[in-house]
Amino acid sequence: MKRFSKSENQSPLIWKNQKQLRLGYTTGSCAAAAAKAAAYMLLSGQTLIQVSLHTPKGITLYLDVEHIEKDKNSVSCAIQKDSGDDPDITDGVYVYAKVIRREGTGLLLDGGEGVGRVTKKGLEQDIGEAAINKVPRQMILDAVDEQRKQFGYEEGLEILISIPEGRRLAGKTFNPRLGIEGGISVLGTSGIVEPMSEKALTDTIYLEMKVLKENGHDWCYVVPGNYGSDFLTETLGYEGALSVKSSNYIGETIDAAVSLGMQGILLVGHIGKLVKLAGGVMNTHSRQADCRMEIFAAHAAMAGALTGDVKKIMECITTAEAVDFLKSQGILNQVMESITKRADFYLKQRAGSGLKIGAIIFSKEEGILGETEDTRVLLKEIGREKI
């Protein structure tokens, strides 16, 4: 069995992208461990300075218990989050659990300060509930119930999870876009944070689109990042609230749209990323593929570029440099028309027959460089959606 001791800094390591990275643990694990420790102290009358927690991942955590406060009918304590080598904004925050005696026999779980509240359909919780996801919710309840059974306690307990820094951090997360207000979510399906987890990113993309779908939106924009988002709202003047950020995971975003039964999506993205679609590349991270200049060069050759010019394109470092060169040769429009048609082919191939799909490709310097066949139809349909 793997063990993870925070105080001894002995967290497991994994290899990713040819680097050895340290694992961390989730806000859900922190909440469950804090709740277990608080329940133990309330029911035993003893003080606990370290608590163990077996995670769904199969790793046992041994975590320091801090900020302990006790009275006759309640105990509160905190666990400090450690995200390992993942660039997580919640790294170092304290997750508190307060366990309180209550009438009855059941367990009542709720969120306090800094834990967000659900305001839209499509999430794991109903509107008005605390944003404590299904797996950590069960981890918390199981941890407290374990203590009840250990001490033969049959009366009710209330569990209140708080993250004081949560309200401040919420604006740096996807929560406002998902309809979670007032704080962050208590997350984690495995209890363990794996650095640079692709699944965590693609799960977020799926969830963001699911929220749109379940709130009545069958059509939406997809933007890879801030460039696309800014161009969508500031240059084109379209509704940013109807967009989903795909990052580099365009293929997975299309798959999510299909599985959710969306009727259509329109990508709006910078040439630096979307040019790769013309090569059938659906994960646009440079680590996966960087065929930008090869695509420009091939389509320039089809447009009649001389061998020397094709070589110059292949020597370009940035897409802006390649676009400038094509413009100087008078073939930019022809090349972009060809690239856009090929990108359209691969997008439709990935989407299948049930999802209408298109793309607007732009650069900061030139504005719109290409629009796929169904762009105007998609703009019209998305424009009918009401926020």
Side-chain angles (χ1 to χ4, degrees), residues 320-334:
E321 185 181 356
V323 167
D324 283 346
F325 181 77
L326 292 169
K327 186 177 180 180
S328 72
Q329 300 304 302
I331 58 172
L332 176 61
N333 291 340
Q334 189 176 352

Side-chain angles (χ1 to χ4, degrees), residues 235-268:
T235 303
L236 300 180
Y238 297 136
E239 178 55 69
L242 286 171
S243 67
V244 171
K245 282 192 176 180
S246 65
S247 184
N248 292 298
Y249 303 99
I250 292 173
E252 286 83 354
T253 304
I254 296 170
D255 296 344
V258 171
S259 66
L260 287 167
M262 297 292 284
Q263 292 188 41
I265 61 174
L266 177 64
L267 276 77
V268 179

Side-chain angles (χ1 to χ4, degrees), residues 87-325:
D88 188 337
I89 63 164
T90 61
D91 184 45
V93 305
Y94 282 94
V95 179
Y96 288 77
K98 186 174 186 179
V99 177
I100 310 159
R101 298 182 193 272
R102 62 183 290 267
E103 295 181 356
T105 59
L107 297 178
L108 178 65
L109 173 60
D110 202 0
E113 179 186 2
V115 175
R117 291 274 163 185
V118 175
T119 66
K120 292 182 180 180
K121 293 186 292 184
L123 300 173
E124 291 183 352
Q125 303 80 35
D126 293 332
I127 292 174
E129 289 188 357
I132 303 174
N133 279 10
K134 181 179 179 180
V135 172
R137 183 177 291 270
Q138 194 62 52
M139 288 172 65
I140 294 164
L141 293 172
D142 288 347
V144 172
D145 199 42
E146 175 189 321
Q147 299 308 301
R148 285 207 308 173
K149 291 174 181 176
Q150 178 179 337
F151 292 103
Y153 184 81
E154 297 181 352
E155 297 178 34
L157 293 173
E158 178 181 353
I159 310 151
L160 187 67
I161 304 299
S162 303
I163 308 174
E165 288 287 290
R167 183 177 291 274
R168 179 182 66 82
L169 294 173
K172 300 178 181 179
T173 71
F174 278 90
N175 276 13
R177 296 174 64 88
L178 297 174
I180 298 172
E181 297 181 357
I184 61 175
S185 302
V186 179
L187 301 171
T189 56
S190 70
I192 299 298
V193 175
E194 293 193 13
M196 310 301 291
S197 169
E198 292 186 0
K199 186 178 185 304
L201 287 170
T202 55
D203 284 350
T204 300
I205 295 165
Y206 179 88
L207 184 58
E208 192 175 353
M209 190 173 287
K210 183 172 181 280
V211 168
L212 282 178
K213 173 67 176 177
E214 295 202 10
N215 284 275
H217 304 298
D218 294 317
W219 307 77
C220 73
Y221 306 105
V222 171
V223 292
N226 291 334
Y227 281 169
S229 182
D230 292 346
F231 192 82
L232 176 72
T233 57
E234 296 173 10
T235 303
L236 300 180
Y238 297 136
E239 178 55 69
L242 286 171
S243 67
V244 171
K245 282 192 176 180
S246 65
S247 184
N248 292 298
Y249 303 99
I250 292 173
E252 286 83 354
T253 304
I254 296 170
D255 296 344
V258 171
S259 66
L260 287 167
M262 297 292 284
Q263 292 188 41
I265 61 174
L266 177 64
L267 276 77
V268 179
H270 189 270
I271 181 68
K273 284 193 180 293
L274 296 198
V275 68
K276 296 181 184 182
L277 297 176
V281 175
M282 294 290 161
N283 182 330
T284 58
H285 197 290
S286 58
R287 184 176 63 248
Q288 298 294 326
D290 188 4
C291 54
R292 297 169 301 162
M293 299 313 153
E294 287 82 356
I295 290 171
F296 277 127
H299 287 266
M302 289 193 295
L306 300 175
T307 300
D309 291 337
V310 172
K311 288 181 178 179
K312 288 180 181 179
I313 293 168
M314 285 297 297
E315 292 169 357
C316 290
I317 303 300
T318 66
T319 52
E321 185 181 356
V323 167
D324 283 346
F325 181 77

Side-chain angles (χ1 to χ4, degrees), residues 362-379:
F362 71 89
S363 74
K364 285 186 173 182
E365 298 78 14
E366 301 296 330
I368 294 177
L369 290 167
E371 295 183 7
T372 58
E373 180 183 19
D374 295 324
T375 292
R376 293 293 127 184
V377 173
L378 285 159
L379 286 172

